[in-house]
Amino acid sequence: MKYHVVIEKLCACAKKRNLEQIRSFDSKEEAEEHAYEWAESLNNTFCGRHGFDSVEVDDNFVISVENGCFVEACEI
């Protein structure tokens, strides 16, 4: 069984970088760890117009995209 990390929608920054929307993993633990790290990376490297967070949905992880910046990214 594969476990997936999915960005719910691609913002302009993600589209400019040709970022893939889905990444797949062999273990749920690996997918979960990657989802949190990926969301943190997006928060710290993108323009700050959106905030990203990881949410578990069934056996997969969705990186949600919210308007407004992620608090930790805004403080940098």
Side-chain angles (χ1 to χ4, degrees):
M1 177 174 187
K2 289 284 189 180
Y3 300 89
H4 307 286
V5 178
V6 181
I7 298 178
E8 84 177 332
K9 65 180 178 179
L10 296 178
C11 64
C13 290
K15 289 177 184 175
K16 276 190 233 176
R17 296 180 189 192
N18 292 320
L19 190 69
E20 70 274 21
Q21 194 164 5
I22 300 172
R23 293 181 181 175
S24 300
F25 299 88
D26 293 324
S27 76
K28 185 175 180 179
E29 294 78 18
E30 186 180 15
E32 181 177 25
E33 182 178 331
H34 185 78
Y36 288 111
E37 289 173 359
W38 197 11
E40 183 177 337
S41 174
L42 298 175
N43 282 318
N44 291 318
T45 61
F46 280 10
C47 70
R49 290 189 186 133
H50 299 97
F52 302 89
D53 195 16
S54 176
V55 179
E56 185 173 352
V57 178
D58 298 322
D59 283 333
N60 298 298
F61 298 88
V62 175
I63 296 179
S64 62
V65 181
E66 303 291 331
N67 284 333
C69 60
F70 183 67
V71 174
E72 289 179 20
C74 291
E75 293 173 354
I76 292 175

